[in-house]
Amino acid sequence: MPRIAEGRPAAKPSSTEQKDRHRRILRAAAHLGAEHGFDHVQMNDVAKEANVAIATLYRYFPSKVHLFTSVMRWRVGAYELEETPTVDDPAGGVADLLIRMSREMSRTPKLALAMIQGNSMSYAMGSRDSALDDERFTRIVQHAAGIAEATPDTARQIRLIVSCWFGTLVSLLNGRFSMGQAEDDIRAACALLLRPLEPDSR
């Protein structure tokens, strides 16, 4: 099992050149992950495809677990909003978001499962970033429901719908569900669990 190198924290890119290398590594990992899945991606191959030295790769990503959790963070970041939108139908807004994410991830199932595997391993190993990633995704779903500030009850509802969606997503990626079945289940779960929610007007 890949280990997280806790004694060697990941470096953060600061200069334009460093950020460019960092993005190239993420793109290379996403491409190779989509082709081969988590277990069969080699760090040397990622470095070669990204045209960086292997030492540079390990400087930013001390392990393959770090690498694929970072790919997930990068991909999920595309759904972040700075401001909470006005939403007339919270359940519909969340369902639309989760279905859009499911469709995107189902186009590259090996990569999606690689990101999920890396994230799960990171969480099991007690990575400090895992809780922050959970909070970040919760905020994305919360914004899709039009909630500026969640109460304990609405936070619980969001956790439940995310858990339902995650199970549906894994079944979709493993071929147990069709996309149509997954979409129907996501909409049904949102209608059941989020129906009482109203957009936050404060």
Side-chain angles (χ1 to χ4, degrees), residues 117-166:
Q117 183 175 348
N119 194 63
S120 296
M121 294 172 69
S122 175
Y123 193 86
M125 294 173 181
S127 170
R128 292 183 295 272
D129 290 334
S130 300
L132 296 177
D133 287 340
D134 287 346
E135 292 174 7
R136 184 186 188 194
F137 188 69
T138 296
R139 285 196 304 271
I140 291 171
V141 177
Q142 180 180 311
H143 283 184
I147 304 169
E149 185 176 351
T151 66
D153 285 341
T154 56
R156 183 181 300 110
Q157 288 172 300
I158 290 171
R159 286 197 304 272
L160 287 170
I161 192 58
V162 169
S163 295
C164 289
W165 170 70
F166 185 77

Side-chain angles (χ1 to χ4, degrees), residues 60-101:
Y60 295 123
F61 308 99
S63 73
K64 192 160 63 171
V65 172
H66 276 97
L67 179 58
F68 278 99
T69 54
S70 296
V71 172
M72 176 174 274
R73 194 173 298 126
W74 172 50
R75 298 288 288 268
V76 168
Y79 295 92
E80 285 190 294
L81 297 173
E82 292 185 3
E83 297 182 359
T84 303
T86 299
V87 177
D88 294 328
D89 177 13
V94 173
D96 288 345
L97 167 71
L98 298 179
I99 287 171
R100 190 163 70 250
M101 295 182 73

